[in-house]
PDB file of all heavy atoms in Angstrom:
ATOM      1  N   ILE A  53     -11.207 -23.308  12.594  1.00 98.00           N
ATOM      2  CA  ILE A  53     -11.674 -23.086  11.231  1.00 98.00           C
ATOM      3  C   ILE A  53     -12.863 -24.001  10.981  1.00 98.00           C
ATOM      4  O   ILE A  53     -12.761 -25.220  11.139  1.00 98.00           O
ATOM      5  CB  ILE A  53     -10.555 -23.347  10.213  1.00 98.00           C
ATOM      6  CG1 ILE A  53      -9.399 -22.371  10.453  1.00 98.00           C
ATOM      7  CG2 ILE A  53     -11.067 -23.228   8.777  1.00 98.00           C
ATOM      8  CD1 ILE A  53      -8.152 -22.662   9.647  1.00 98.00           C
ATOM      9  N   MET A  54     -13.984 -23.397  10.613  1.00 98.00           N
ATOM     10  CA  MET A  54     -15.211 -24.140  10.358  1.00 98.00           C
ATOM     11  C   MET A  54     -15.590 -23.995   8.892  1.00 98.00           C
ATOM     12  O   MET A  54     -15.659 -22.874   8.383  1.00 98.00           O
ATOM     13  CB  MET A  54     -16.335 -23.608  11.251  1.00 98.00           C
ATOM     14  CG  MET A  54     -16.128 -23.877  12.730  1.00 98.00           C
ATOM     15  SD  MET A  54     -17.015 -22.709  13.787  1.00 98.00           S
ATOM     16  CE  MET A  54     -15.730 -21.496  14.093  1.00 98.00           C
ATOM     17  N   VAL A  55     -15.805 -25.099   8.225  1.00 98.00           N
ATOM     18  CA  VAL A  55     -16.119 -25.096   6.792  1.00 98.00           C
ATOM     19  C   VAL A  55     -17.549 -25.589   6.605  1.00 98.00           C
ATOM     20  O   VAL A  55     -17.944 -26.609   7.172  1.00 98.00           O
ATOM     21  CB  VAL A  55     -15.144 -26.000   6.009  1.00 98.00           C
ATOM     22  CG1 VAL A  55     -15.427 -25.905   4.511  1.00 98.00           C
ATOM     23  CG2 VAL A  55     -13.694 -25.612   6.300  1.00 98.00           C
ATOM     24  N   ASP A  56     -18.303 -24.852   5.798  1.00 97.00           N
ATOM     25  CA  ASP A  56     -19.683 -25.210   5.492  1.00 97.00           C
ATOM     26  C   ASP A  56     -19.832 -25.338   3.979  1.00 97.00           C
ATOM     27  O   ASP A  56     -19.608 -24.371   3.247  1.00 97.00           O
ATOM     28  CB  ASP A  56     -20.625 -24.127   6.025  1.00 97.00           C
ATOM     29  CG  ASP A  56     -22.097 -24.467   5.813  1.00 97.00           C
ATOM     30  OD1 ASP A  56     -22.390 -25.593   5.355  1.00 97.00           O
ATOM     31  OD2 ASP A  56     -22.946 -23.598   6.083  1.00 97.00           O
ATOM     32  N   ALA A  57     -20.186 -26.524   3.521  1.00 96.00           N
ATOM     33  CA  ALA A  57     -20.372 -26.754   2.081  1.00 96.00           C
ATOM     34  C   ALA A  57     -21.752 -26.254   1.661  1.00 96.00           C
ATOM     35  O   ALA A  57     -22.670 -27.021   1.379  1.00 96.00           O
ATOM     36  CB  ALA A  57     -20.200 -28.232   1.747  1.00 96.00           C
ATOM     37  N   ASP A  58     -21.891 -24.919   1.617  1.00 96.00           N
ATOM     38  CA  ASP A  58     -23.163 -24.306   1.233  1.00 96.00           C
ATOM     39  C   ASP A  58     -23.189 -23.925  -0.245  1.00 96.00           C
ATOM     40  O   ASP A  58     -24.118 -23.266  -0.709  1.00 96.00           O
ATOM     41  CB  ASP A  58     -23.439 -23.080   2.095  1.00 96.00           C
ATOM     42  CG  ASP A  58     -22.388 -21.977   1.920  1.00 96.00           C
ATOM     43  OD1 ASP A  58     -21.411 -22.181   1.159  1.00 96.00           O
ATOM     44  OD2 ASP A  58     -22.551 -20.903   2.535  1.00 96.00           O
ATOM     45  N   GLY A  59     -22.139 -24.330  -0.979  1.00 95.00           N
ATOM     46  CA  GLY A  59     -22.064 -24.024  -2.403  1.00 95.00           C
ATOM     47  C   GLY A  59     -21.399 -22.703  -2.724  1.00 95.00           C
ATOM     48  O   GLY A  59     -21.240 -22.356  -3.898  1.00 95.00           O
ATOM     49  N   GLY A  60     -20.980 -21.962  -1.682  1.00 95.00           N
ATOM     50  CA  GLY A  60     -20.381 -20.649  -1.900  1.00 95.00           C
ATOM     51  C   GLY A  60     -18.861 -20.685  -1.879  1.00 95.00           C
ATOM     52  O   GLY A  60     -18.240 -21.755  -1.927  1.00 95.00           O
ATOM     53  N   GLN A  61     -18.268 -19.481  -1.787  1.00 96.00           N
ATOM     54  CA  GLN A  61     -16.823 -19.334  -1.704  1.00 96.00           C
ATOM     55  C   GLN A  61     -16.475 -18.268  -0.681  1.00 96.00           C
ATOM     56  O   GLN A  61     -17.336 -17.522  -0.215  1.00 96.00           O
ATOM     57  CB  GLN A  61     -16.237 -18.957  -3.073  1.00 96.00           C
ATOM     58  CG  GLN A  61     -16.210 -20.079  -4.084  1.00 96.00           C
ATOM     59  CD  GLN A  61     -15.371 -19.715  -5.300  1.00 96.00           C
ATOM     60  OE1 GLN A  61     -15.498 -18.626  -5.859  1.00 96.00           O
ATOM     61  NE2 GLN A  61     -14.500 -20.613  -5.707  1.00 96.00           N
ATOM     62  N   GLY A  62     -15.190 -18.198  -0.343  1.00 97.00           N
ATOM     63  CA  GLY A  62     -14.721 -17.155   0.558  1.00 97.00           C
ATOM     64  C   GLY A  62     -14.907 -17.516   2.021  1.00 97.00           C
ATOM     65  O   GLY A  62     -15.048 -18.677   2.398  1.00 97.00           O
ATOM     66  N   ILE A  63     -14.911 -16.471   2.865  1.00 98.00           N
ATOM     67  CA  ILE A  63     -15.119 -16.632   4.299  1.00 98.00           C
ATOM     68  C   ILE A  63     -16.455 -15.999   4.650  1.00 98.00           C
ATOM     69  O   ILE A  63     -16.708 -14.837   4.334  1.00 98.00           O
ATOM     70  CB  ILE A  63     -13.967 -16.009   5.107  1.00 98.00           C
ATOM     71  CG1 ILE A  63     -12.677 -16.823   4.884  1.00 98.00           C
ATOM     72  CG2 ILE A  63     -14.306 -15.952   6.592  1.00 98.00           C
ATOM     73  CD1 ILE A  63     -11.468 -16.303   5.634  1.00 98.00           C
ATOM     74  N   GLY A  64     -17.305 -16.760   5.312  1.00 97.00           N
ATOM     75  CA  GLY A  64     -18.649 -16.298   5.620  1.00 97.00           C
ATOM     76  C   GLY A  64     -18.747 -15.468   6.885  1.00 97.00           C
ATOM     77  O   GLY A  64     -19.629 -14.628   7.016  1.00 97.00           O
ATOM     78  N   PHE A  65     -17.839 -15.691   7.845  1.00 98.00           N
ATOM     79  CA  PHE A  65     -17.857 -14.911   9.077  1.00 98.00           C
ATOM     80  C   PHE A  65     -16.476 -14.939   9.719  1.00 98.00           C
ATOM     81  O   PHE A  65     -15.691 -15.867   9.525  1.00 98.00           O
ATOM     82  CB  PHE A  65     -18.927 -15.420  10.055  1.00 98.00           C
ATOM     83  CG  PHE A  65     -18.832 -16.884  10.389  1.00 98.00           C
ATOM     84  CD1 PHE A  65     -18.006 -17.342  11.412  1.00 98.00           C
ATOM     85  CD2 PHE A  65     -19.582 -17.820   9.688  1.00 98.00           C
ATOM     86  CE1 PHE A  65     -17.930 -18.693  11.724  1.00 98.00           C
ATOM     87  CE2 PHE A  65     -19.520 -19.172  10.000  1.00 98.00           C
ATOM     88  CZ  PHE A  65     -18.693 -19.611  11.013  1.00 98.00           C
ATOM     89  N   PHE A  66     -16.209 -13.882  10.483  1.00 98.00           N
ATOM     90  CA  PHE A  66     -14.943 -13.709  11.192  1.00 98.00           C
ATOM     91  C   PHE A  66     -15.253 -13.584  12.675  1.00 98.00           C
ATOM     92  O   PHE A  66     -16.041 -12.725  13.080  1.00 98.00           O
ATOM     93  CB  PHE A  66     -14.214 -12.456  10.714  1.00 98.00           C
ATOM     94  CG  PHE A  66     -13.984 -12.411   9.232  1.00 98.00           C
ATOM     95  CD1 PHE A  66     -14.954 -11.896   8.380  1.00 98.00           C
ATOM     96  CD2 PHE A  66     -12.810 -12.899   8.676  1.00 98.00           C
ATOM     97  CE1 PHE A  66     -14.759 -11.855   7.004  1.00 98.00           C
ATOM     98  CE2 PHE A  66     -12.597 -12.861   7.307  1.00 98.00           C
ATOM     99  CZ  PHE A  66     -13.582 -12.344   6.462  1.00 98.00           C
ATOM    100  N   GLY A  67     -14.649 -14.440  13.505  1.00 98.00           N
ATOM    101  CA  GLY A  67     -14.902 -14.428  14.941  1.00 98.00           C
ATOM    102  C   GLY A  67     -13.816 -13.680  15.692  1.00 98.00           C
ATOM    103  O   GLY A  67     -12.670 -14.133  15.751  1.00 98.00           O
ATOM    104  N   TRP A  68     -14.184 -12.529  16.286  1.00 98.00           N
ATOM    105  CA  TRP A  68     -13.230 -11.713  17.031  1.00 98.00           C
ATOM    106  C   TRP A  68     -13.479 -11.886  18.529  1.00 98.00           C
ATOM    107  O   TRP A  68     -14.617 -11.794  18.990  1.00 98.00           O
ATOM    108  CB  TRP A  68     -13.347 -10.242  16.635  1.00 98.00           C
ATOM    109  CG  TRP A  68     -12.907  -9.992  15.227  1.00 98.00           C
ATOM    110  CD1 TRP A  68     -13.687  -9.881  14.116  1.00 98.00           C
ATOM    111  CD2 TRP A  68     -11.561  -9.851  14.784  1.00 98.00           C
ATOM    112  NE1 TRP A  68     -12.916  -9.678  12.998  1.00 98.00           N
ATOM    113  CE2 TRP A  68     -11.600  -9.657  13.376  1.00 98.00           C
ATOM    114  CE3 TRP A  68     -10.320  -9.878  15.418  1.00 98.00           C
ATOM    115  CZ2 TRP A  68     -10.451  -9.490  12.606  1.00 98.00           C
ATOM    116  CZ3 TRP A  68      -9.170  -9.706  14.650  1.00 98.00           C
ATOM    117  CH2 TRP A  68      -9.242  -9.506  13.272  1.00 98.00           C
ATOM    118  N   GLU A  69     -12.420 -12.115  19.282  1.00 98.00           N
ATOM    119  CA  GLU A  69     -12.522 -12.491  20.689  1.00 98.00           C
ATOM    120  C   GLU A  69     -12.388 -11.292  21.621  1.00 98.00           C
ATOM    121  O   GLU A  69     -11.622 -10.364  21.361  1.00 98.00           O
ATOM    122  CB  GLU A  69     -11.425 -13.512  21.011  1.00 98.00           C
ATOM    123  CG  GLU A  69     -11.531 -14.138  22.367  1.00 98.00           C
ATOM    124  CD  GLU A  69     -10.661 -15.376  22.511  1.00 98.00           C
ATOM    125  OE1 GLU A  69      -9.896 -15.701  21.580  1.00 98.00           O
ATOM    126  OE2 GLU A  69     -10.767 -16.040  23.560  1.00 98.00           O
ATOM    127  N   VAL A  70     -13.144 -11.321  22.710  1.00 98.00           N
ATOM    128  CA  VAL A  70     -12.965 -10.376  23.810  1.00 98.00           C
ATOM    129  C   VAL A  70     -12.718 -11.175  25.094  1.00 98.00           C
ATOM    130  O   VAL A  70     -12.917 -12.389  25.124  1.00 98.00           O
ATOM    131  CB  VAL A  70     -14.178  -9.434  23.987  1.00 98.00           C
ATOM    132  CG1 VAL A  70     -14.325  -8.513  22.789  1.00 98.00           C
ATOM    133  CG2 VAL A  70     -15.456 -10.229  24.224  1.00 98.00           C
ATOM    134  N   ALA A  71     -12.312 -10.476  26.140  1.00 97.00           N
ATOM    135  CA  ALA A  71     -11.831 -11.158  27.347  1.00 97.00           C
ATOM    136  C   ALA A  71     -12.919 -11.897  28.105  1.00 97.00           C
ATOM    137  O   ALA A  71     -12.714 -13.017  28.572  1.00 97.00           O
ATOM    138  CB  ALA A  71     -11.142 -10.152  28.267  1.00 97.00           C
ATOM    139  N   ASP A  72     -14.098 -11.279  28.244  1.00 97.00           N
ATOM    140  CA  ASP A  72     -15.125 -11.872  29.094  1.00 97.00           C
ATOM    141  C   ASP A  72     -16.490 -11.271  28.771  1.00 97.00           C
ATOM    142  O   ASP A  72     -16.625 -10.475  27.826  1.00 97.00           O
ATOM    143  CB  ASP A  72     -14.781 -11.662  30.575  1.00 97.00           C
ATOM    144  CG  ASP A  72     -14.425 -10.215  30.898  1.00 97.00           C
ATOM    145  OD1 ASP A  72     -14.983  -9.292  30.253  1.00 97.00           O
ATOM    146  OD2 ASP A  72     -13.593  -9.989  31.784  1.00 97.00           O
TER     147      ASP A  72
END
Side-chain angles (χ1 to χ4, degrees):
I53 298 171
M54 293 156 265
V55 184
D56 183 6
D58 63 357
Q61 287 192 313
I63 292 180
F65 55 86
F66 305 87
W68 293 98
E69 189 165 5
V70 294
D72 50 32

